[in-house]
Amino acid sequence: MRIMVLVLQLNEQLELQKVVAEKMAKQEAFQGGVLQRLDNQEALMDKISRQINHIRSILFERTNYLATKIDDGYKLTSSYVYKLMTGSDQPLTFFLMKHKKEKIQKQTD
């Protein structure tokens, strides 16, 4: 009788171990899937980061190019307007430099 009880308890214990083993296998599979998704997410984040840095460098280059073009256009336009107003062929920048030199000389005299 005692042996039968022990055999039944061992069988129940064996069944419980099988259930726990199945649950652990499912949990390991689920955890593996989560880790795979995390790896994919990290790769996507790195890709997005590289793309943002690329866009940032393109914007910097384009902005610099446009600033240079605007500056060149301003110099050309201001020289043209200066020539129209004064009739002088001398560019505005030379006039301004000459004007500054004269001003400095007056202050030192």
Side-chain angles (χ1 to χ4, degrees), residues 28-75:
E28 286 177 5
F30 178 75
Q31 187 175 1
V34 169
L35 290 175
Q36 181 64 36
R37 289 194 307 263
L38 282 174
D39 288 342
N40 290 342
Q41 186 71 26
E42 185 178 0
L44 288 173
M45 292 291 286
D46 288 342
K47 182 179 177 183
I48 290 170
S49 177
R50 286 191 306 273
Q51 288 174 341
I52 288 173
N53 286 335
H54 182 67
I55 290 171
R56 186 181 298 147
S57 67
I58 289 172
L59 283 175
F60 177 77
E61 290 172 8
R62 298 293 178 176
T63 304
N64 189 29
Y65 172 77
L66 289 174
T68 303
K69 286 292 188 184
I70 290 170
D71 191 42
D72 292 345
Y74 171 76
K75 288 177 184 175

Side-chain angles (χ1 to χ4, degrees), residues 74-86:
Y74 171 76
K75 288 177 184 175
L76 182 66
T77 304
S78 62
S79 294
Y80 177 74
V81 170
Y82 176 75
K83 183 178 177 183
L84 286 176
M85 292 175 68
T86 62

